[in-house]
Each structure stands twice: as structure tokens, then as C-alpha cells.
């Protein structure tokens, strides 16, 4: 990170995102996500800004949600990259979504530091030992 004074602002932005996800607050997420936001789910699916915000209207509910940086935020050009662990408990249309992911957050340059992208990867293999696309 190029500026030690930038770290509290980045942490504040991430904390606001965590609170919005936990609360299912679509309005707050609207103010935090960049217009060109793209989310990559843990099994490779892609969600644009509208789809990411719309997850809550489609039945997503969290009872717990956290993000812990695993390494200090890094400046890459003008953008900020934060790699950490996302832990969540909740459900989507009564299907449990309890999980832990490696999460990479990309924040846009500028005073608003809007969240431009999220990429989630499973921290642990599925309990069955098979990937969801495994036909056997």
C-alpha cells in the first residue's frame, strides 16, 4: 500500500460492505458497488452489479457474514487489491449457504473507492470430495 493514511479509508469501505451484506441492504450496496462491478462466485458464475444487489430480493439471507484481510491491502496501479477470508452463514430460498471463501476484492481508484469486483474461491473442498460438475 502506497499510503498509510489510505488504509483506514479502505478498511472503512470494506466494513461498510460487510455490514450491507449482513443486513441484506440493497440500498447500501448500491452506494458501495462501482457501476461496472463484476462478482465471480465460488464455482465460476458471474454476477453483474444489478444481479449482485438482487441476490437479497431473490431470497438470500445471512445470519453471519465477515471478511478478514489475510494480507495488507495492495496498490496495483491506482486500484486497491485486498485478499482475505469471507465467512458466512445463511441461506438462499431455504438452502443453507454456510461457507468460508478466499475472497479477492478490487476497489476502484478515486475518493469513493467503489468496489469494482469480488472473486470467491472455496477455502476447502466440497464435503463429498467431488466438484459440483463431477458426473459420478
Amino acid at each position: 500500500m502506497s499510503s498509510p493514511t489510505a488504509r483506514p479509508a479502505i478498511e472503512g469501505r470494506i466494513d461498510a460492505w460487510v455490514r450491507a451484506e449482513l443486513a441484506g441492504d440493497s440500498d447500501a450496496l448500491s452506494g458501495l458497488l462501482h457501476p461496472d462491478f463484476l462478482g465471480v462466485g465460488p464455482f465460476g458464475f458471474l454476477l453483474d452489479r444489478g444481479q449482485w444487489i438482487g441476490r437479497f430480493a431473490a431470497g438470500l439471507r445471512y445470519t453471519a457474514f465477515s471478511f478478514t484481510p489475510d494480507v495488507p491491502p495492495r496498490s496495483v496501479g491506482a486500484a486497491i487489491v485486498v485478499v482475505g477470508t469471507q465467512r458466512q452463514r445463511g441461506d438462499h430460498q431455504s438452502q443453507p449457504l454456510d461457507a468460508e471463501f478466499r475472497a479477492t476484492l478490487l476497489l476502484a481508484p478515486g475518493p469513493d473507492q467503489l468496489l469494482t469486483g469480488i472473486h470467491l474461491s472455496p477455502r476447502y473442498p466440497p464435503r463429498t470430495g467431488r466438484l459440483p460438475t463431477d458426473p459420478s
Side-chain angles (χ1 to χ4, degrees):
M1 165 115 12
S2 58
S3 168
T5 60
R7 183 171 282 165
I10 293 164
E11 290 170 354
R13 179 62 58 178
I14 292 170
D15 288 346
W17 166 69
V18 167
R19 286 191 307 273
E21 289 282 343
L22 179 58
D25 188 340
S26 298
D27 290 335
L29 282 174
S30 291
L32 295 167
L33 302 184
H34 191 277
D36 292 327
F37 172 87
L38 182 65
V40 181
F43 300 109
F45 57 87
L46 303 175
L47 297 176
D48 65 21
R49 182 178 186 275
Q51 292 167 321
W52 191 270
I53 293 168
R55 297 171 303 144
F56 300 104
L60 175 62
R61 301 287 178 264
Y62 290 122
T63 58
F65 188 93
S66 67
F67 177 84
T68 305
D70 295 332
V71 295
R74 301 182 295 133
S75 295
V76 180
I80 306 296
V81 177
V82 185
V83 177
T85 299
Q86 175 181 313
R87 291 178 180 89
Q88 64 185 49
R89 285 195 316 266
D91 66 83
H92 182 262
Q93 300 177 355
S94 300
Q95 297 298 312
L97 291 178
D98 300 357
E100 185 173 308
F101 302 109
R102 172 81 66 210
T104 302
L105 310 179
L106 179 63
L107 293 111
D112 295 333
Q113 294 179 325
L114 296 177
L115 193 56
T116 304
I118 299 173
H119 186 270
L120 301 174
S121 300
R123 290 289 304 250
Y124 305 103
R127 292 180 191 211
T128 63
R130 291 189 215 127
L131 293 176
T133 56
D134 188 357
S136 53

